[in-house]
Amino acid sequence: MKPTAILLLHCPDKQGIISEVTKFITDNKGNIVYLDQYVDREDGMFFMRIEWELENFLIPRDKIDDFITTLYAQRYGMEFNLYFNDEKPRMAIFVSKMSHCLYDLLARYKAGEWNVDIPCIVSNHEDLRYVADQFDIPYYVWSIKKDHSNVDEVEKAEMELLEKEKVTSIVLARYMQIITDNMIKAYPNKIINIHHSFLPAFKGAKPYHQAWERGVKIIGATSHYVTADLDAGPIIEQDVARITHKDTPESLVLKGKDLEKIVLSRAVTKHIERKILTYHNKTVIFS
Amino acid sequence: MKPTAILLLHCPDKQGIISEVTKFITDNKGNIVYLDQYVDREDGMFFMRIEWELENFLIPRDKIDDFITTLYAQRYGMEFNLYFNDEKPRMAIFVSKMSHCLYDLLARYKAGEWNVDIPCIVSNHEDLRYVADQFDIPYYVWSIKKDHSNVDEVEKAEMELLEKEKVTSIVLARYMQIITDNMIKAYPNKIINIHHSFLPAFKGAKPYHQAWERGVKIIGATSHYVTADLDAGPIIEQDVARITHKDTPESLVLKGKDLEKIVLSRAVTKHIERKILTYHNKTVIFS
Amino acid sequence: MKPTAILLLHCPDKQGIISEVTKFITDNKGNIVYLDQYVDREDGMFFMRIEWELENFLIPRDKIDDFITTLYAQRYGMEFNLYFNDEKPRMAIFVSKMSHCLYDLLARYKAGEWNVDIPCIVSNHEDLRYVADQFDIPYYVWSIKKDHSNVDEVEKAEMELLEKEKVTSIVLARYMQIITDNMIKAYPNKIINIHHSFLPAFKGAKPYHQAWERGVKIIGATSHYVTADLDAGPIIEQDVARITHKDTPESLVLKGKDLEKIVLSRAVTKHIERKILTYHNKTVIFS
Amino acid sequence: MKPTAILLLHCPDKQGIISEVTKFITDNKGNIVYLDQYVDREDGMFFMRIEWELENFLIPRDKIDDFITTLYAQRYGMEFNLYFNDEKPRMAIFVSKMSHCLYDLLARYKAGEWNVDIPCIVSNHEDLRYVADQFDIPYYVWSIKKDHSNVDEVEKAEMELLEKEKVTSIVLARYMQIITDNMIKAYPNKIINIHHSFLPAFKGAKPYHQAWERGVKIIGATSHYVTADLDAGPIIEQDVARITHKDTPESLVLKGKDLEKIVLSRAVTKHIERKILTYHNKTVIFS
């Protein structure tokens, strides 16, 4: 894997942006290995993901951000993020009692599918410690009291852990607790949740029971970034499965598990690959 | 096509129902060509569809209903419907301005795919008269005033037409008007609507715009029986299509058209084949 | 609809192509309304579709081809096609006896979904003349003898018609005759077929029966450009439907019809929109 | 979980079979908790799965087989299998080097989703021993020489293990070795394989490369029972995923992994639940 820089940007659409940015990179001997762009003609916004090899690139990697800021960001009203493929995201996983998403994430991690580090697993229950042990990953438990009286305290402890472990993203793998606003602010568009319904249908608790009550013929799962508004953040990925009148709430839960883990893992893959741009509570997903 | 009787029934589940009903048919020389049953163990309800050839059946067809009522319905607390495959449903189609569902229905009708008669098309606009003309089907227009002041009058005229034409089912093929309660009462579980969203998400007006606003990654269409509660009747069929951030409200409308017509036609097929049982605002769909 | 130019090109990948081409357009006051590109890193090939408004474009439309040839084509080893959105494709439809694809195509055409002209329908049977009549499109029949002795004669007549009608593309809407090599040569990557299987499985005759024999759990349909090699041309679009052991060859044929018409129409849409590039017997489909 | 008996049967279709069998069970105080049946009208064959609680059943469980044989099997030309839900299948897993299917199977097993025992994992490579160790399951390795000269010896050792462990079914979780005819004969319709293509397309080696070469727009995975004929046994389950021209053979392998593990696990679920009947190289899958 050769070192590359990855630039994700958006700005008001103007003639010549692609041409300028690609010229800047090629003039400085950067070999472009990925370019995808998209114009939202409704909003007049331009979105781009571009990746180039750093090997012969004339600008040192710690100056690239400055150059882009100076040359383009102000001029074009551009917002951008710069990543390097050899700086792995550090991802914490939050779980409660169900193991299917956790196993799916860890199996991919262990198989080397993902360019990521997973330094810790956090839970509000002891139940899944054995899974963390199987994969030799530290497991931390902070129980939240029924009256929620210790939420601030728990949040403080969790935030300290995340800071200590230099965590850059959080995956909620069927974590059944509300995330506090402080944590959401600390990780904007960096907390990925899996909701076990086809959002916006069946928000909140027990979506499979809601689906069964309504008599739908298809169930779904939705992965999204967490915002202050419950189950209403930018959607990253969704998928569905066909059901029939023969299904019970219990069989929906079972069928849903497969949806949840695959949808969550697809979203995490895109996140790790730096292929998601968020804008106006929606996502642009580069291919 | 040999003449058959089709019995759709449901009742509280009890030992021996299948055995009794099948014995009754075979003892009377009926050749069973279809049997499917389902037990809802949650509610303790039994559902069955059974179809048999009338050729050597010992009970005359106009007495079968009586026999079933006397022998089983009271004893088992059974509700049932009896149909004969040579008595075609007579289906009215209601449309507004979009032609895609109408063409899809009529193309199947003309190709002889369905055991049905379509004696009339009803609309609140002149727009699709040319389609009705292409297929030589009478087209009736009753405009509804913006202030809805003539709704009763229009309903009366429509009901007279439906009665005159001996209509037994109604298909709303993107008909953009509320159906009145009287009509719903006259056609219980016999009015099939297509809603252009994955219900219960995006009820009501402009669902594709709602979907685009929310940034979903999958859109859907839902066919259901019309009840007094808007977009909340028993769901017959749903399907979905994957979309991306590149889609606009306009492209969703286009992609949605294919979903709508296929989902509606699948629902109509099941309805015509007498394969739908409704119960507790849900459907049992026999295969 | 403002007039636009559409450029589809491919060439060996080199630094700076996008930048040069977009600069060329913007420098000449062309407003780019679409740009999508793709690099096949395996083969080192670059593919692009770019569309721009002609309104203020400084180069007259009849000189654009020259300019591109001179400035880029030779230098980059580029192959390209230039289209104008106000020059509609003229599409002939070939049919045999089944109406579902034909109705689906004509319903879209009549509803104005497609920027296309359909000057004629060609068949080897009289069966579907009534459909052509419903839509007021000339219908031509040339029967092919069982011994194929009149194939050359038929081909000659058909080619004359196509030439007279200035046909630029052909859609085989379940046309059950082999297309001759001469016609394929005259319309390279311009004849779209629908095959009623998930190619490359079940090539040739009676694919639904083959699928039923094999006991597959999913059936498919495939739309592809016709080449001299039967059912082996570049695939444009495929889709599938789930089936069960309860399906018969007859029910597969029915279910398949919906697949066939939707898959064919999606392929035709992409073709009309000039969003398909073929290369090495594969397609690049722009979004 | 109350003890139940599960009867899977098929025989030439005759009037009254359901009625007789259900009467037999209910007369003997068996409470039927599941009944599904299917008639193949092409072949005139009847298929049924029926399950009933043993609690008050008058016939002792070790006599049920006799009774069915005597009362029905001979009279109706019936073939049947009788299972008890408290007699768990004992399943061996065979693997080579890829972990995704193995992890998926073991995660379900560990979570208690399946009524099964997994006494051993067999491989031709050491690579996945760490996974077996994580789940505390014995891992056996028999390497097969390139010239296949030790195949008989390996088979003998494996068969001894399977016998010792009372294995009743085998799951090939991406096991990249041919299964010998002796083993197939010893486990008829009890060896489940996952093939990484949409069979019958792309049999044999490197199906993702074949799919990429052909330029298909959809890839698939197929789970089937192993027979002497390579990749041609009765298909249990298939699923597909949409791909584009942007995919490479490598990205197909990655996308395919998710398909493979889900399709294999669905097949294994049906197998464990005794919901699969095989007939004429096809499967009847009860819901």
Side-chain angles (χ1 to χ4, degrees), chain B residues 15 18-19 22 26 30-37 41, chain D residues 15 18-19 22 26 30-37 41:
Chain B
Q15 303 268 11
I18 300 181
S19 134
T22 56
T26 53
N31 182 32
I32 295 171
V33 292
Y34 180 101
L35 185 157
D36 205 1
Q37 50 79 46
R41 302 199 185 276
Chain D
Q15 303 267 9
I18 300 180
S19 136
T22 56
T26 54
N31 181 34
I32 295 171
V33 292
Y34 180 102
L35 184 158
D36 205 1
Q37 50 76 48
R41 300 197 187 278

Side-chain angles (χ1 to χ4, degrees), chain A residues 6-11 17-18 33-40 45-51 79-81 83 225 235-237 266-279 282-287, chain B residues 217 242-246, chain C residues 35-38 287, chain D residues 244-247 251 255:
Chain A
I6 297 162
L7 179 65
L8 279 168
L9 66 87
H10 68 271
C11 59
I17 303 177
I18 299 180
V33 291
Y34 181 101
L35 184 157
D36 205 2
Q37 49 80 46
Y38 157 68
V39 178
D40 180 338
M45 289 299 292
F46 174 81
F47 301 83
M48 186 160 77
R49 184 187 187 279
I50 187 161
E51 184 172 358
E79 287 178 50
F80 73 92
N81 285 95
Y83 302 99
Y225 284 123
I235 292 172
I236 304 169
E237 171 68 353
R266 280 194 208 136
V268 170
T269 301
K270 286 292 183 185
H271 181 82
I272 291 172
E273 294 175 351
R274 319 295 198 182
K275 287 192 169 166
I276 311 177
L277 240 163
T278 54
Y279 177 70
K282 296 193 208 176
T283 58
V284 171
I285 310 279
F286 291 104
S287 61
Chain B
K217 298 299 184 190
R242 198 162 273 275
I243 61 169
T244 77
H245 59 270
K246 296 188 182 177
Chain C
L35 185 157
D36 205 1
Q37 49 77 47
Y38 156 69
S287 61
Chain D
T244 78
H245 59 270
K246 297 188 182 178
D247 279 289
S251 73
K255 286 185 183 179

Side-chain angles (χ1 to χ4, degrees), chain D residues 90 92 94 158-159 161-170 179 181-192 225-227:
Chain D
R90 291 179 65 81
F94 280 44
E158 287 173 349
M159 294 288 274
L161 172 70
L162 298 176
E163 197 169 343
K164 197 194 83 188
E165 293 291 358
K166 298 187 172 55
V167 162
T168 58
S169 312
I170 298 171
I179 298 295
D181 281 0
N182 280 334
M183 199 174 286
I184 294 170
K185 267 176 214 150
Y187 290 92
N189 291 326
K190 294 184 186 313
I191 307 176
I192 301 172
Y225 285 122
V226 174
T227 58

Side-chain angles (χ1 to χ4, degrees), chain B:
Chain B
M1 198 176 70
K2 294 183 184 175
T4 63
I6 297 162
L7 178 65
L8 279 167
L9 67 87
H10 69 271
C11 59
D13 189 29
K14 258 197 198 164
Q15 303 268 11
I17 303 176
I18 300 181
S19 134
E20 283 218 31
V21 173
T22 56
K23 198 170 170 328
F24 162 73
I25 294 168
T26 53
D27 283 359
N28 287 291
K29 313 281 183 217
N31 182 32
I32 295 171
V33 292
Y34 180 101
L35 185 157
D36 205 1
Q37 50 79 46
Y38 156 68
V39 177
D40 180 338
R41 302 199 185 276
E42 206 92 4
D43 285 341
M45 289 299 291
F46 175 80
F47 302 84
M48 185 160 77
R49 184 188 187 280
I50 187 161
E51 184 172 358
W52 66 97
E53 289 170 1
L54 292 169
E55 203 174 12
N56 302 309
F57 198 54
L58 299 177
I59 302 169
R61 73 154 73 186
D62 59 345
K63 300 285 184 200
I64 299 174
D65 195 299
D66 278 3
F67 268 74
I68 293 168
T69 306
T70 311
L71 291 173
Y72 305 109
Q74 289 156 13
R75 201 162 111 222
Y76 285 102
M78 192 184 279
E79 287 178 50
F80 72 92
N81 286 94
L82 182 70
Y83 303 99
F84 298 101
N85 76 336
D86 53 11
E87 292 175 5
K88 292 188 193 184
R90 290 179 65 80
M91 203 165 81
I93 304 177
F94 281 45
V95 296
S96 290
K97 295 185 172 181
M98 298 181 84
S99 62
H100 58 293
C101 287
L102 180 59
Y103 267 126
D104 199 66
L105 295 166
L106 296 181
R108 290 170 203 267
Y109 175 52
K110 187 88 178 178
E113 277 185 33
W114 285 340
N115 184 35
V116 73
D117 284 319
I118 299 179
C120 57
I121 297 169
V122 174
S123 185
N124 53 338
H125 295 285
E126 282 293 338
D127 301 56
L128 299 181
R129 184 179 293 280
Y130 72 93
V131 184
D133 287 351
Q134 283 182 304
F135 288 83
D136 275 327
I137 297 173
Y139 187 83
Y140 302 85
V141 174
W142 286 282
S143 301
I144 287 163
K145 290 185 184 160
K146 285 227 164 140
D147 63 2
H148 281 221
S149 61
N150 67 336
V151 161
D152 289 353
E153 194 183 319
V154 166
E155 183 199 87
K156 190 162 169 289
E158 288 173 350
M159 294 289 275
E160 279 171 17
L161 172 70
L162 298 176
E163 199 169 342
K164 199 194 82 188
E165 293 291 359
K166 297 188 172 55
V167 163
T168 57
S169 314
I170 299 171
V171 177
L172 308 181
R174 295 299 311 275
Y175 179 64
M176 307 311 273
Q177 277 291 335
I178 301 294
I179 297 295
T180 57
D181 282 0
N182 279 333
M183 199 174 287
I184 294 170
K185 268 176 212 148
Y187 291 92
N189 291 326
K190 294 183 185 313
I191 307 176
I192 301 172
N193 186 39
I194 179 72
H195 183 75
H196 40 316
S197 86
F198 187 80
L199 286 177
F202 311 129
K203 286 185 191 184
K206 292 202 164 266
Y208 293 125
H209 286 76
Q210 293 181 54
W212 181 81
E213 276 295 333
R214 180 60 188 90
V216 294
K217 298 299 184 190
I218 286 175
I219 55 168
T222 304
S223 188
H224 62 94
Y225 285 123
V226 175
T227 58
D229 202 356
L230 182 68
D231 296 338
I235 292 172
I236 305 169
E237 171 67 353
Q238 302 189 288
D239 212 342
V240 297
R242 198 162 273 275
I243 61 169
T244 77
H245 59 270
K246 296 188 182 177
D247 280 289
T248 60
E250 291 69 40
S251 73
L252 295 191
V253 168
L254 270 177
K255 286 187 184 180
K257 279 180 171 182
D258 281 358
L259 278 180
E260 293 160 25
K261 74 186 186 193
I262 297 295
V263 167
L264 178 58
S265 285
R266 279 192 209 138
V268 170
T269 301
K270 286 291 183 186
H271 181 82
I272 291 172
E273 293 175 353
R274 320 296 197 180
K275 288 193 169 165
I276 310 177
L277 239 163
T278 54
Y279 178 70
H280 279 188
N281 206 44
K282 298 193 208 177
T283 59
V284 171
I285 310 279
F286 291 104
S287 60

Side-chain angles (χ1 to χ4, degrees), chain A residues 15 18-19 22 26 30-37 41, chain C residues 15 18-19 22 26 30-37 41:
Chain A
Q15 303 266 10
I18 299 180
S19 135
T22 56
T26 53
N31 182 32
I32 295 171
V33 291
Y34 181 101
L35 184 157
D36 205 2
Q37 49 80 46
R41 301 197 187 278
Chain C
Q15 302 268 9
I18 300 180
S19 137
T22 58
T26 55
N31 182 33
I32 295 170
V33 292
Y34 180 101
L35 185 157
D36 205 1
Q37 49 77 47
R41 300 196 188 280

